[in-house]
């Protein structure tokens, strides 16, 4: 007898209900392709998550809390967890990193395990993970960066903010970046929070940075830095800056620096304030105040003594990075002068035909990160650079889910990523409940993957191994009066992870 797909789904749901009501007593066995009720325990859902950043940990947290039988394994490419919380969040924002405590609790949950040093798509394919687990959640973030697409972009002295941030935060891949900070003026393209992080790190007094977990290598380079002026360049106007007020306030109050804006850029802005929504209004008020207001005596004195300056510049788009006379490195930027069409957040920049050159020896492009495809078997939308999905369900790929930046694009703070990951977890749970995910077949999970990895000579780093790396970093940091001194070399991380007992490297 042939059952219609609708009847089959109903049948599955009834069987699952039966399983749930008598969990532990009734299960399904498969024999010669025939499924029968048996007295063995029902298979517990095995879910694997790709990426040990905020999206991965928050998805895991929600799944573990919502279902007492789910087993979650997190696979992370690096030997160390936490993604951009470790390698993105600025070193002088230690309070943001407190989320690591919650992630640690999740990783230490009895039904969760962390497998670092496993690069999905290289060491194990997504299809292999799908064979081993009932569901796979892709939370691997945004590993690429948007390029400016202008001549001279690859000259020495031009860096992506992504690499620069990775460098000062100890990302192994960026250890050798060696940014050249021997010039007076730096231009940062983009006016988002990453641009402000970079500007702050370039201009902060060393006494502040020394107490953070910034790498020693970055500290030494910044100590030699000759950068005195940082221009933060936007293609649109003051009403469209992408940073937030807290980060702007930090710039305004940054010791040893003064703002140097162009007054004419703010013509008409004060009049526009009234009509703005509240967060944008407060942000713009602060911007106008920093640019236009004559400060009180004390602030005037502070600004007079400042040896470094920063400024926002508006309505400029990069056309070309200009080379030095010997053509070896960046010496300036050619910018298109824009005007705005439309209004508010949705206004767009249109070139006027006018061009402006700015002399600068350092260009940092901070126009956004970008997700990349992980594996040919996973759908990917190249125009939006995300995995196409509906509420976290990967389109046309049953059993595959996504969360975080790879799901919605590279914007949003950790709290946004948390909500988004909880949404994906809810979607997955619904599919478990409805029978849309096949729970009838027991899956072997990490056992099967471990065998594949062993065959391929890949040795995972477990959470307890990471704890050894963590202790070693904290120990090294203590000696230097900082919260930690990060290991920056994968080989060294692996060595510490595999050391028995207390580390004395
Ligand atoms: P990620 O954090 O990037 O995590 C993805 C993880 O997947 C990484 O650990 C990566 O190694 C791993 N991975 C990648 N490829 C693979 C693979 N093939 N196999 C296995 N694992 C893989 N938000 C705030 O609230 N406050 C801040 O101060 C703040 N500062 C920021 C500073 C910077 C420079 C940036 C870029 C972002 C900042 N954010 C901040 C935003 C916040 O970091 C993001 O919202 C969040 O990290 C996105 O989480 P995610 O898990 O999607 O991506
Ligand atoms: P972002 O906030 O999206 O800012 C990107 C900037 O680049 C914008 O100013 C944008 O201008 C500009 N830009 C984009 N394409 C451009 C182009 N082709 N030419 C010129 N300019 C271009 O991205 P982000 O700064 O990378 O930050 C990513 C996310 O992480 C954000 O949500 C941010 O809030 C978060 N984050 C938070 C913190 C924090 O909370 N402290 C710190 C860092 C990052 P347009 O507006 O004109 O597109």
């Amino acid at each position: 007898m042939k059952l219609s797909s609708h009847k089959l789904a109903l049948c599955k749901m009834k069987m699952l209900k039966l399983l749930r009501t008598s969990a532990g007593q009734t299960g399904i066995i498969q024999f010669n392709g025939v499924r029968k009720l048996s007295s063995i325990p029902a298979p517990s859902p095995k879910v694997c998550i790709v990426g040990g950043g905020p999206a991965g940990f928050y998805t895991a947290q929600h799944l573990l809390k919502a279902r007492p039988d789910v087993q979650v394994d997190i696979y992370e490419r690096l030997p160390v967890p936490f993604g951009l919380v470790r390698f993105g969040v600025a070193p002088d924002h230690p309070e943001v990193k407190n989320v690591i405590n919650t992630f640690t609790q999740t990783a230490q949950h009895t039904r969760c395990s962390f497998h670092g040093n496993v690069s999905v798509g290289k060491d194990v394919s997504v299809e292999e993970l799908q064979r081993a687990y009932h569901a796979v959640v892709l939370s691997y973030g945004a590993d690429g960066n948007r390029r400016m697409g202008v001549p001279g972009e690859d000259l020495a002295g031009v860096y992506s903010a992504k690499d620069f941030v990775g460098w000062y935060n100890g990302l192994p891949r960026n250890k050798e970046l060696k940014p050249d900070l021997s010039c007076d003026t730096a231009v940062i393209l983009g006016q988002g929070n990453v641009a402000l992080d970079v500007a702050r790190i370039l201009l902060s007094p060393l006494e502040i940075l020394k107490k953070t977990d910034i790498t020693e290598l970055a500290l030494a380079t910044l100590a030699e830095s000759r950068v005195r002026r940082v221009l933060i360049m936007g293609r649109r106007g003051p009403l469209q800056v992408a940073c937030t007020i807290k980060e702007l306030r930090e710039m305004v109050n940054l010791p040893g620096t003064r703002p140097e804006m162009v007054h004419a850029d703010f013509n008409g802005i004060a009049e526009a304030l009234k009509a703005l929504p509240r967060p944008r209004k407060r942000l713009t008020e602060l911007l106008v105040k920093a640019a236009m207001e004559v400060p009180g005596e004390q602030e005037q004195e502070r600004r007079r003594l400042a040896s470094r300056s920063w400024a926002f510049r508006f309505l400029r788009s990069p056309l070309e990075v200009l080379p030095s006379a010997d053509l070896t490195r960046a010496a300036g930027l050619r910018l298109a002068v824009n005007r705005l069409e439309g209004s508010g957040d949705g206004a767009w920049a249109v070139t006027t035909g006018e061009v402006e050159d700015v002399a600068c020896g350092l260009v940092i492009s901070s126009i956004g990160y970008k997700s990349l495809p992980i594996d040919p078997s996973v759908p990917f939308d190249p125009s939006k650079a995300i995995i196409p999905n509906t509420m976290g369900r990967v389109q046309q790929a049953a059993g595959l889910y996504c969360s975080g930046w790879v799901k919605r694009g590279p914007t949003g703070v950790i709290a946004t990523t948390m909500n988004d990951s909880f949404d994906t977890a809810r979607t997955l749970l619904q599919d478990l409940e409805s029978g849309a995910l096949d729970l009838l077949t027991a899956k072997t999970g990490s056992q099967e993957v471990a065998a594949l990895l062993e065959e391929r000579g890949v040795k995972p780093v477990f959470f307890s191994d990471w704890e050894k790396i963590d202790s070693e970093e904290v120990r090294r940091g203590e000696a230097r009066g900082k919260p930690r001194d990060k290991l920056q070399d994968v080989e060294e991380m692996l060595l510490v992870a595999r050391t028995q007992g207390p580390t004395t490297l």
Side-chain angles (χ1 to χ4, degrees):
M1 182 186 65
K2 255 191 158 184
L3 285 177
S4 71
S5 56
H6 177 68
K7 278 192 180 151
L8 257 175
L10 276 176
C11 233
K12 262 187 184 179
M13 276 169 68
K14 276 187 191 157
M15 284 169 115
L16 279 170
K17 265 198 187 135
L18 184 57
L19 280 172
R20 243 173 276 123
T21 46
S22 50
Q25 292 153 31
T26 315
I28 304 282
I29 52 164
Q30 191 161 343
F31 182 70
N32 280 348
V34 179
R35 287 169 172 174
K36 290 182 178 170
L37 282 178
S38 88
S39 58
I40 57 161
S44 60
K46 288 202 165 60
V47 177
C48 111
I49 293 177
V50 178
F57 276 103
Y58 281 126
T59 310
Q61 180 186 326
H62 195 84
L63 291 172
L64 291 163
K65 193 168 166 212
R67 262 190 86 125
D69 58 344
V70 72
Q71 169 72 43
V72 181
D73 295 332
I74 300 174
Y75 291 92
E76 162 59 48
R77 185 180 43 192
L78 288 163
V80 295
F82 312 135
L84 283 170
V85 176
R86 178 178 164 104
F87 294 117
V89 171
D92 57 344
H93 284 171
E95 69 291 348
V96 178
K97 303 186 195 209
N98 288 341
V99 289
I100 285 177
N101 299 332
T102 313
F103 299 161
T104 299
Q105 279 173 12
T106 299
Q108 288 170 338
H109 194 289
T110 46
R111 285 180 284 114
C112 184
S113 62
F114 174 83
H115 307 250
N117 196 36
V118 178
S119 183
V120 174
K122 180 171 154 259
D123 298 331
V124 57
S125 72
V126 173
E127 279 173 332
E128 286 167 333
L129 291 177
Q130 284 193 276
R131 279 198 285 278
Y133 290 88
H134 294 106
V136 175
V137 185
L138 300 164
S139 313
Y140 63 87
D143 212 23
N145 64 282
R146 284 196 201 128
R147 283 179 60 86
M148 294 185 281
V150 300
E153 185 163 8
D154 296 317
L155 279 170
V158 184
Y159 307 91
S160 71
K162 182 173 176 292
D163 287 348
F164 192 77
V165 166
W167 168 74
Y168 65 65
N169 272 327
L171 186 63
R173 172 201 307 163
N174 298 129
K175 189 181 162 198
E176 303 299 334
L177 191 74
K178 298 191 177 80
D180 181 347
L181 309 182
S182 61
C183 62
D184 175 81
T185 300
V187 172
I188 302 175
L189 289 155
Q191 296 179 325
N193 281 332
V194 173
L196 264 60
D197 278 356
V198 169
R200 219 174 50 252
I201 296 299
L202 280 173
L203 295 175
S204 284
L206 277 194
E207 307 80 73
I208 295 182
L209 295 179
K210 269 181 185 162
K211 295 179 195 136
T212 72
D213 66 4
I214 193 168
T215 64
E216 285 299 302
L217 206 61
L219 263 186
T221 309
L222 288 163
E224 300 293 311
S225 169
R226 314 250 312 255
V227 175
R228 292 287 170 270
R229 183 171 171 248
V230 174
L231 302 177
I232 306 163
M233 200 73 71
R235 61 177 163 182
R236 300 191 290 159
L239 292 176
Q240 288 83 27
V241 295
C243 61
T244 45
I245 191 161
K246 178 177 165 283
E247 286 62 34
L248 177 60
R249 193 174 294 119
E250 277 178 298
M251 270 322 290
V252 173
N253 296 328
L254 191 64
T257 72
R258 65 173 166 271
E260 273 182 355
M261 313 274 200
V262 176
H263 284 198
D265 283 345
F266 294 86
N267 286 344
I269 298 296
E271 294 73 46
L273 278 175
K274 240 193 270 165
L276 296 176
R278 195 171 147 75
R280 172 65 69 184
K281 181 167 179 259
R282 290 184 56 228
L283 174 68
T284 315
E285 277 168 351
L286 180 59
L287 195 52
V288 171
K289 189 171 172 217
M292 309 286 279
E293 211 175 89
V294 181
E297 251 175 55
Q298 208 180 339
E299 176 62 6
Q300 272 189 40
E301 182 60 4
R302 187 188 80 84
R303 290 189 189 179
R304 198 182 59 76
L305 293 175
S307 59
R308 297 174 171 191
S309 73
W310 62 275
F312 277 42
R313 292 280 187 272
F314 302 101
L315 297 172
R316 300 288 186 271
S317 293
L319 284 177
E320 184 182 352
V321 181
L322 302 169
S324 54
D326 61 1
L327 305 180
T328 56
R329 51 168 301 110
L333 255 181
R334 178 152 298 159
L335 298 154
V337 179
N338 301 331
R339 63 183 167 78
L340 281 187
E341 282 192 4
S343 60
D345 280 350
W348 64 97
V350 181
T351 53
T352 59
E354 213 183 309
V355 164
E356 181 185 84
D357 289 351
V358 173
C360 59
L362 175 64
V363 178
I364 299 184
S365 157
S366 182
I367 61 172
Y369 285 48
K370 187 172 139 191
S371 293
L372 304 170
I374 193 172
D375 183 314
S377 71
V378 178
F380 192 79
D381 178 341
S383 61
K384 294 188 184 143
I386 55 165
I387 295 177
N389 68 93
T390 313
M391 294 188 310
R393 278 184 200 99
V394 178
Q395 283 166 14
Q396 286 151 11
L400 261 190
Y401 299 81
C402 57
S403 65
W405 277 16
V406 76
K407 170 187 176 190
R408 58 169 209 281
T411 56
V413 292
I414 295 169
T416 330
T417 299
M418 177 186 77
N419 289 326
D420 159 278
S421 306
F422 287 176
D423 286 346
T424 292
R426 275 191 280 271
T427 299
L428 197 159
L429 290 164
Q430 272 170 19
D431 290 353
L432 283 174
E433 293 285 313
S434 70
L437 273 176
D438 180 14
L439 264 189
L440 301 183
T441 317
K443 299 273 188 169
T444 49
S446 60
Q447 239 179 308
E448 190 170 330
V449 178
L452 289 173
L453 293 175
E454 196 177 336
E455 240 173 68
R456 293 166 193 173
V458 179
K459 291 199 172 96
V461 166
F462 301 107
F463 204 76
S464 52
D465 300 328
W466 146 249
E467 285 171 327
K468 289 188 208 159
I469 299 174
D470 184 36
S471 304
E472 175 62 11
E473 290 186 343
V474 171
R475 189 187 68 77
R476 290 185 190 191
E478 264 166 20
R480 297 182 188 273
K482 40 202 280 191
R484 72 174 61 238
D485 190 12
K486 288 180 191 167
L487 304 189
Q488 291 177 69
D489 194 86
V490 169
E491 288 311 313
E492 195 182 8
M493 289 174 181
L494 296 179
L495 195 66
V496 173
R498 288 178 189 135
T499 310
Q500 300 294 323
T503 334
T504 44
L505 288 175

